[in-house]
């Protein structure tokens, strides 16, 4: 029996706090200094919402607590990053950042270390993941989110999540309207005001085969994938709805950027209640590069096929279905709590399980403008 860490349920984005030194003091600087990021890969027994444990591989930042998904890494465009990956698992592993050229590590042998130095590319939302035995290694835990922020915001124009030459007229128009148009009273978007939603799905039969060392069998079984657990940032159902790092929260007029990533094999159709969202970026299917959209439309439900990454602006406007005469609300009082849930059958039926194990969380309007 191998010794491995037991990851108690609820550790989803535990690594975020540990990374605050990367984003905090650097925000004000135009030329971001080079940084080193050290990741470790190890085996773990990860607790699910019903108390059962499944075998997974997990990333940690340095000697920090391993988590699935791995810790969120925040970088600046143009920054020089030395990324080191130490493999403490008993199988070889690799690392890639799809859509970010020049970042490819591995395979790294058990107890081996790999390292790569690269210049951070265009702003947007990225995955770091193990591309080996695709999709097995990423499905069994080896994935996390990277947020790339612009090195600087253009002076005199509203901040966007993208570089000056990357933002389209449509995106610039949307971000200019925030706090500046009757449709979006309040404030402009503040850089860093975002939430990361990493989706994954777990079919414990696959984890069991991998735990027994039958990686070929585990990979074969992904062809008949029947997930039992659906997670956002490692959490399911009511637990995701009570996780501060997951739940968007703010007052009317405080727009927030959702960064949605699907590491799993099931296509999700997240549906948000209470506001409409605006997709500002998605990926180019062939290269997985960030594609900033120009024709920005309002939608309630968006598609998240495997490996999709999408940025969506959640405007935190007065819910459009509430008439002006009924605002501010008197019957339903603040905070107004709305759900986001997946509309696809696969997550509603949960392999014959219960719907709360499907993809669902909340978002909260705490008060008026
Ligand atoms: Cu719905």
């Amino acid at each position: 029996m191998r010794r491995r860490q037991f990851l108690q349920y609820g550790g989803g984005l535990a690594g975020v706090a540990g990374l605050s030194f990367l984003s905090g003091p650097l925000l004000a600087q135009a030329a971001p200094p080079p940084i080193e990021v050290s990741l470790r890969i190890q085996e773990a027994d990860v607790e699910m919402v019903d108390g059962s444990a499944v075998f997974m591989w997990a990333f940690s930042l340095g000697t920090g607590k391993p988590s699935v998904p791995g810790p969120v890494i925040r970088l600046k465009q143009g920054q020089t990053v030395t990324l080191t990956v130490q493999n403490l698992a008993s199988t070889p592993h690799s690392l890639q950042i799809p859509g970010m050229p020049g970042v490819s590590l591995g395979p790294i042998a058990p107890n081996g270390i790999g390292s790569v130095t690269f210049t951070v590319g265009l702003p947007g939302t990225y995955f770091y993941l193990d591309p080996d035995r695709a999709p097995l290694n990423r499905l069994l835990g080896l994935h996390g989110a990277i947020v790339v922020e612009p090195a600087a915001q253009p002076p005199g124009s509203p901040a966007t999540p993208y570089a000056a030459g990357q933002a389209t007229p449509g995106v610039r128009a949307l971000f200019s309207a925030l706090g500046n148009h009757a449709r979006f009273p309040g404030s402009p978007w503040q850089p860093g005001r975002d939430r990361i939603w990493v989706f994954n799905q777990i079919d414990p039969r696959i984890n069991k085969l991998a735990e027994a060392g039958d990686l070929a069998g585990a990979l074969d079984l992904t062809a008949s994938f029947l997930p039992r657990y659906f997670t956002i940032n490692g959490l399911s159902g009511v637990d995701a709805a009570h996780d501060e790092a997951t739940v968007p929260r703010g007052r009317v007029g405080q727009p927030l950027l959702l960064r949605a990533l699907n590491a799993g094999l099931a296509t999700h159709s997240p549906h948000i209640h209470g506001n409409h969202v605006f997709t500002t970026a998605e990926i180019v299917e062939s290269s997985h590069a960030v594609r900033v959209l120009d024709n920005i439309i309002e939608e309630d439900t968006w598609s998240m096929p495997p490996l999709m990454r999408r940025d969506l602006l959640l405007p935190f406007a007065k819910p459009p279905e509430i008439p002006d005469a009924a605002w501010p609300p008197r019957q339903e009082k603040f905070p107004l709590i709305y759900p986001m849930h997946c509309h696809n059958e696969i997550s509603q039926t949960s392999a014959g399980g219960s719907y709360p194990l499907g993809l669902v969380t909340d978002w909260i309007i705490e008060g008026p403008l």
Side-chain angles (χ1 to χ4, degrees):
M1 195 69 187
R2 286 169 299 195
R3 274 176 60 84
R4 60 183 181 239
Q5 203 158 346
F6 178 73
L7 299 187
Q8 216 166 2
Y9 184 72
L13 285 180
V16 175
L19 266 183
S20 56
F21 71 95
L22 292 181
S23 54
L26 299 183
L27 273 175
Q29 299 182 22
I35 60 161
E36 291 178 17
V37 177
S38 303
L39 290 169
R40 283 182 167 189
I41 293 172
Q42 56 201 289
E43 287 147 9
D45 292 310
V46 181
E47 190 178 16
M48 298 286 103
V49 61
D50 58 3
S52 65
V54 297
F55 169 86
M56 293 186 99
W57 291 296
F59 281 114
S60 65
L61 199 63
T63 55
K65 188 172 181 273
S67 63
V68 178
V72 176
I73 298 173
R74 288 184 184 263
L75 303 172
K76 294 276 187 191
Q77 183 188 14
Q79 195 165 30
T80 302
V81 177
T82 300
L83 175 65
T84 303
V85 179
Q86 187 180 8
N87 181 13
L88 301 178
S90 58
T91 44
H93 289 282
S94 297
L95 193 116
Q96 260 177 24
I97 303 176
M100 180 88 64
V103 190
S104 188
L105 266 179
I108 306 162
N111 294 313
I113 292 182
S115 187
V116 64
T117 297
F118 65 99
T119 303
V120 178
L122 287 172
T125 307
Y126 294 84
F127 266 124
Y128 62 96
L129 53 79
D130 179 354
D132 290 350
R133 295 183 208 93
L136 187 69
N137 290 11
R138 77 161 202 269
L139 194 63
L140 294 198
L142 291 179
H143 61 265
I146 293 181
V147 172
V148 177
E149 292 168 336
Q153 291 290 344
S157 45
T160 81
Y162 310 108
Q166 186 190 23
T168 58
V171 158
R172 283 199 298 271
L174 174 63
F175 282 78
S176 298
L178 301 172
N180 203 19
H181 186 280
R183 171 76 173 78
F184 306 110
S187 316
W189 177 73
Q190 305 291 326
R193 187 165 157 71
D194 59 14
R195 282 291 184 276
I196 288 119
W197 283 351
V198 179
F199 305 146
N200 192 28
Q201 309 93 39
I202 293 142
D203 178 343
R205 300 173 307 156
I206 296 172
N207 302 58
K208 230 181 181 60
L209 285 179
E211 180 174 24
D214 182 6
L215 297 180
L219 180 57
D220 280 350
L221 202 50
T222 61
S224 51
F225 187 54
L226 191 58
R228 177 74 177 89
Y229 304 101
F230 296 79
T231 57
I232 307 177
N233 301 334
L235 297 170
S236 296
V238 68
D239 297 309
H242 287 94
D243 180 51
E244 284 300 315
T246 300
V247 175
R249 179 188 278 279
R251 302 176 76 86
V252 169
Q254 296 183 325
L256 177 144
L257 192 74
L258 293 170
R259 300 176 183 274
L261 309 90
N262 186 6
L265 273 185
T267 293
H268 276 309
S269 295
H271 171 232
I272 197 151
H273 291 225
N275 265 194
H276 309 293
V277 291
F278 300 82
T279 298
T280 58
E282 57 181 25
I283 60 167
V284 178
E285 226 174 292
S286 53
S287 64
H288 288 235
V290 172
R291 184 162 75 97
V292 181
L293 302 185
D294 192 19
N295 183 19
I296 311 281
I297 56 167
E298 254 179 300
E299 36 193 350
D300 299 324
T301 308
W302 65 94
S303 179
M304 292 295 295
L307 287 177
M308 175 54 85
R309 300 146 16 214
R310 229 177 247 283
D311 295 346
L312 310 109
L313 187 89
L314 178 59
F316 275 77
K318 175 179 84 66
E321 67 272 29
I322 299 183
D324 287 342
W327 187 262
R330 286 175 292 276
Q331 278 187 320
E332 293 277 343
K333 303 226 187 288
F334 289 115
L336 301 178
I337 303 174
Y338 293 102
M340 182 284 291
H341 63 147
C342 173
H343 273 200
N344 280 12
E345 184 184 0
I346 196 167
S347 72
Q348 311 255 328
T349 52
S350 245
S354 108
Y355 173 64
L357 303 189
L359 184 87
V360 58
T361 188
D362 282 348
W363 74 280
I364 301 173
I365 303 179
E366 293 171 314
L369 189 65

